[in-house]
Amino acid sequence: AALTMRLRDARGPARREAAAAFGRMGPTIAAGPSAILASHLKHKNADVRKRCAELLGVMGEAASAQAGALALCLGDDDGGVRWNSAKALRAMGEAGAVTLASLLGDRDTLVASTAAQALEKMGDIGARTLSLEIRHGTDSDSWRRAADSLRRMTDLLRVAPENVHLTDRDPSVRQHRARSIAARGPTSALHVATLVDGLAHEDTLTRNRHMAAVQQTGEVGAAALAGKLKETHGFVRRRAVEHLLQLGTADASVHAGALSARTGDTNPWVRLRAVEAKHDWLKKSELFHLPSPGLTVTMNWTGTFPMFGAIIRRT
């Protein structure tokens, strides 16, 4: 109680010291104080909102339960409140990154740009989070803003995937180029975005060679293919399902929910492939204790696969 009272201390250092102490105690102990601070994020006084956002940031990951409340402050009229809120979300690590990513498609350009800038300052966690926004589709506002941020993080004005090397007759040339794209990690999403658009390519050989490169990019490739499941053209959706199923179960099963939704697709071939996927994963889930297609799987953002610690919730 005494430590909680110090959060209201008139002296800034004392407040920050108390917040840091709660942060070290962990989310259970910090739950009460952080909730109190979050309740003041709507205070009519901008200085109070700014101070509360700052203290939540000092608590760091221990206050991650209040990430949603901080997200609402990114559209605040006061620049200081926006700055402290974005900074607080950055301090919350993975939970903060996920929350910021959810704002990239916001209709308020100020909110979206503030979220993008915050992710750009989060290093590897930010880059990985941005790369996975490709799951919303290459034409989405979320991916467009994420791609711009990835380019700024890597000082790239544009990306030239050099597709000619991926269609070379020599398989060793194709494999070398595919490996070089995959080796770029999160920024490989910039190349993959161009490659998955090739699902509409008329030439089967070219299309399959591009998809072979996409499949080497793991979770980024899986997210890109999942983003194509809502394409207008049924043949593109069907091809996305087929290639997604060719990925390793760990990467593809993250998008089990999106694939299951395709069982009601208007295109009969898409429905057929989705039903086959659901049946296949059901068998694998029973054999390897993996999540079944009737579950939505969310990566735990530490790089582990669903069977090694993902958060699972029923749909």
Side-chain angles (χ1 to χ4, degrees):
L3 196 58
T4 301
M5 289 300 296
R6 290 185 64 187
L7 293 173
R8 303 178 181 179
D9 198 292
R11 298 165 299 168
R15 293 195 302 270
R16 289 189 287 273
E17 183 181 334
F22 278 119
R24 290 191 294 270
M25 293 178 188
T28 302
I29 303 299
S34 65
I36 293 173
L37 290 172
S39 68
H40 286 85
L41 290 174
K42 295 182 179 180
H43 198 281
K44 62 181 180 180
N45 189 319
D47 288 335
V48 173
R49 300 197 301 274
K50 191 186 311 180
R51 185 185 307 160
C52 290
E54 177 192 15
L55 295 179
L56 285 169
V58 174
M59 288 186 183
E61 294 184 21
S64 58
Q66 310 307 327
L70 285 166
L72 296 176
C73 294
L74 293 192
D76 197 280
D77 294 333
D78 187 273
V81 176
R82 293 195 302 273
W83 170 264
N84 282 358
S85 297
K87 187 176 180 181
L89 286 168
R90 283 162 43 200
M92 291 177 181
E94 297 162 359
V98 172
T99 301
L100 287 167
S102 69
L103 300 172
L104 291 177
D106 198 280
R107 293 182 179 180
D108 188 331
T109 55
L110 178 61
V111 172
S113 61
T114 302
Q117 291 168 14
L119 284 166
E120 289 173 31
K121 296 176 182 179
M122 292 186 71
D124 291 341
I125 292 178
R128 179 172 180 264
T129 305
L130 287 165
S131 72
L132 295 181
E133 285 301 286
I134 198 172
R135 72 185 185 278
H136 296 298
T138 53
D139 294 328
S140 66
D141 288 338
S142 295
W143 169 244
R144 179 175 55 79
R145 288 165 178 152
D148 287 342
S149 291
L150 284 172
R151 292 188 185 98
R152 285 192 290 269
M153 292 178 76
T154 53
D155 296 322
L156 291 175
L157 295 179
R158 65 185 182 87
V159 173
E162 298 180 36
N163 292 344
V164 63
H165 294 311
L166 293 173
T167 56
D168 195 281
R169 290 185 177 182
D170 188 342
S172 64
V173 173
R174 299 198 303 271
Q175 291 171 7
H176 176 74
R177 179 55 185 162
R179 284 196 296 267
S180 68
I181 290 175
R184 296 176 183 271
T187 58
S188 68
L190 295 170
H191 297 268
V192 172
T194 300
L195 294 176
V196 293
D197 285 340
L199 281 173
H201 203 290
E202 294 180 357
D203 183 69
T204 302
L205 183 60
T206 299
R207 187 174 65 246
N208 288 342
R209 286 176 173 175
H210 284 184
M211 290 308 103
V214 169
Q215 289 168 7
Q216 290 196 39
T217 58
E219 64 176 359
V220 172
L225 289 168
K228 289 296 181 180
L229 295 178
K230 294 183 179 180
E231 276 285 316
T232 303
H233 299 294
F235 66 89
V236 173
R237 299 196 300 274
R238 174 176 58 80
R239 292 167 182 171
V241 171
E242 292 172 346
H243 289 290
L244 188 56
L245 294 178
Q246 293 173 19
L247 284 168
T249 304
D251 290 318
S253 63
V254 175
H255 306 284
L259 265 171
S260 293
R262 292 300 99 198
T263 57
D265 198 278
T266 55
N267 184 295
W269 289 105
V270 177
R271 291 200 302 271
L272 175 62
R273 294 289 183 267
V275 170
E276 290 175 348
K278 194 168 184 177
H279 178 68
D280 183 51
W281 268 332
L282 186 60
K283 291 194 299 183
K284 288 181 179 179
S285 66
E286 293 172 349
L287 183 61
F288 300 107
H289 305 291
L290 298 173
S292 67
L295 300 175
T296 297
V297 184
T298 307
M299 291 292 285
N300 66 0
W301 297 88
T302 56
T304 56
F305 291 139
M307 66 286 282
F308 297 131
I311 304 167
I312 304 173
R313 59 183 173 81
R314 291 191 177 275
T315 54

